[in-house]
């Protein structure tokens, strides 16, 4: 065996991963716990989803079987997803050949990227960009091209995007609704992307985990509904946000049969299959009546407004949240200009944790004025955070 010293001097981490540190979500949650802070950083609810789902899972675990299931997921789950796509978007999806159940959206993204990328292929990422896209593209030895969303509304820069596309472009990732800028893409923006993908024979990968958290009467436009993208997109979603069970890690990828084959090829070698009893419980949840989805949205709308009003009153410039369960603020209005030190100070001194947003840019000098708070918390948790922020920031 190697001695401790030898292990310490040898770089074990693969080159592709070296530019990426520990996930900001881990970092901030650990810091929050260490300081007893109210954790509005990592996006998970501090309540569990409906009891009926948990009862169903418990019943399925007790009854069994508790063995491997089909690698691409149990039929009842895939059928429920197909029904949902019809119910919400009027789209027909074949559960047999077009849906793959994955270990959350996270594994869905990895399985998709690792299933389609060749070394040297290019992947376009729109910044700010969710933290897994770049490292997984790098693991597949792809080259990343970054295109920044622009202005206070994080608009898609159509010309710059067109310049980024080239014959080596294999895919673009579109996170809609977008984490962390909380925008929703318009059909027109997505059609523009569809046109470029067609022109360059590239794929669009839609990360749509917040598809049911779209506010104020807006409509979620799935990539699958863009005619140019129907056969060249992978739509990834998850049950984590919609049913408030982020720990279960049940996601899925929807794509045309030839594309789904690529996802399934890599998925079978990454994890083989997911957890049957939990898929069974989530299949039931997906079929919940529309009232469930409406109440979820009404509840989150109230929470969004509660936190947004309080942050505005404290003097933050708050960006509007069209989708997701986050609020983005500009800290310059309070005289700060460094998100990382601001978030550390807030966690340690005010007892409230949030996410510094420069980590969502490749060039960390960008986004330093932006901080993200999540509002998927009990009202009393939000109120406690507001109380602490008011006590700390109000007294400066
Ligand atoms: N994509 C985005 C944009 C997310 O915010 C998250 C996490 N909330 C995920 C993917 C991961 O989803 P899952 O927990 O299902 O892996
Ligand atoms: N998606 C969550 C967020 O944006 C975190 C998920 C995770 O910790 N991997 O905060």
């Amino acid at each position: 065996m190697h001695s401790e010293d030898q292990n310490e001097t040898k770089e074990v981490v693969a080159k592709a991963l070296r530019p990426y540190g520990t996930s900001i979500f881990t970092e901030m949650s650990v810091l929050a716990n260490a300081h007893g802070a109210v954790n509005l950083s990592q996006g998970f609810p501090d309540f569990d989803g409906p009891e009926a789902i948990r009862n169903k899972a418990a019943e399925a675990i007790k009854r069994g079987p508790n063995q491997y299931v089909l690698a691409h997921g149990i039929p009842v789950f895939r059928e429920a997803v197909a029904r949902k796509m019809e119910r919400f978007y009027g789209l027909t999806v074949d559960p047999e050949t077009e849906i793959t159940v994955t270990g959350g959206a996270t594994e869905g993204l990895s399985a998709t990227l690792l299933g389609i990328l060749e070394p040297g292929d290019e992947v376009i990422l729109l910044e700010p960009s969710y933290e897994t896209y770049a490292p997984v593209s790098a693991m597949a030895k792809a080259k990343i091209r970054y295109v920044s969303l622009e202005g206070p509304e994080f608009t898609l820069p159509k010309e710059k995007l067109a310049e980024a596309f080239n014959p080596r472009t294999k895919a673009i990732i579109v996170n809609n609704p977008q984490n962390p800028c909380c925008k929703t893409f318009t059909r027109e923006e997505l059609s523009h992307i569809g046109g470029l993908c067609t022109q360059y024979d590239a794929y669009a990968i839609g990360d749509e985990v917040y598809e049911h958290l779209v506010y104020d009467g807006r409509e979620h436009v799935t990539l699958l509904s863009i005619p140019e993208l129907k056969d060249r997109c992978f739509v990834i979603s998850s049950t984590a946000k919609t049913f408030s069970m982020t720990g279960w890690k049940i996601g899925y990828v929807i794509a045309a049969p030839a594309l789904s084959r690529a996802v399934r090829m890599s998925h079978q070698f990454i994890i083989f299959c997911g957890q049957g009893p939990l898929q069974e419980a989530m299949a039931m949840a997906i079929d919940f009546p529309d009232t469930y989805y409406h109440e979820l949205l009404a509840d989150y709308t109230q929470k969004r407004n509660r936190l947004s009003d309080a942050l505005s009153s404290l003097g933050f410039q708050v960006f509007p949240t069209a989708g997701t369960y986050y609020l983005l603020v500009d800290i310059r209005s309070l005289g700060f200009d460094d998100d990382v030190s601001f978030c550390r100070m807030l966690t340690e001194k005010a007892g409230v944790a949030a996410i510094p947003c420069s980590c969502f840019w490749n060039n960390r000098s960008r986004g330093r004025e932006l901080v993200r708070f999540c509002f998927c918390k009990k009202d009393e948790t939000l109120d406690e955070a507001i109380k602490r922020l008011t006590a700390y920031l109000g007294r400066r």
Side-chain angles (χ1 to χ4, degrees), residues 23 25 41-43 106 130-131 179 210 241 249 326 372:
S23 159
F25 305 121
S41 65
Q42 189 178 20
T106 306
Y130 183 64
E131 73 163 9
N179 176 10
Y210 300 101
K241 323 287 163 188
K249 301 297 292 183
Y326 307 108
R372 192 198 80 178

Side-chain angles (χ1 to χ4, degrees), residues 107-116 260-272:
E107 193 251 328
L109 276 154
S110 301
T112 302
L113 290 168
L114 296 170
I116 64 170
S260 285
R261 270 199 295 282
V263 177
R264 290 178 182 188
M265 278 298 288
S266 65
H267 164 76
Q268 65 180 339
F269 297 127
I270 296 173
I271 189 171
F272 188 73

Side-chain angles (χ1 to χ4, degrees), residues 150-268:
E150 284 180 352
E153 294 184 350
F154 297 98
T155 309
L156 186 74
K158 292 196 182 139
E159 279 174 24
K160 285 189 189 142
L161 186 64
E163 283 162 20
F165 268 83
N166 69 76
R168 288 181 304 282
T169 306
K170 178 61 92 44
I172 175 170
I173 304 184
V174 185
N175 179 203
N176 182 32
Q178 220 275 3
N179 176 10
C181 67
C182 311
K183 85 167 242 156
T184 51
F185 286 84
T186 62
R187 187 173 289 280
E188 200 249 327
E189 285 176 319
L190 299 176
S191 295
H192 178 74
I193 292 173
L196 290 168
C197 286
T198 310
Q199 188 182 342
Y200 289 95
D201 191 22
Y203 299 108
I205 300 172
D207 177 351
E208 303 186 3
V209 299
Y210 300 101
E211 62 183 309
H212 295 296
L213 302 182
V214 171
Y215 304 98
D216 310 317
R218 287 182 183 81
E219 168 204 24
H220 170 66
V221 185
T222 172
L223 288 187
L224 284 158
S225 70
I226 305 296
E228 298 95 316
L229 291 176
K230 191 177 153 291
D231 293 318
R232 53 173 75 247
C233 76
F234 299 82
V235 165
I236 296 162
S237 194
S238 173
T239 55
K241 323 287 163 188
T242 311
F243 301 106
S244 307
M245 309 279 207
T246 59
W248 282 21
K249 301 297 292 183
I250 302 193
Y252 50 91
V253 183
I254 307 176
L259 279 60
S260 285
R261 270 199 295 282
V263 177
R264 290 178 182 188
M265 278 298 288
S266 65
H267 164 76
Q268 65 180 339

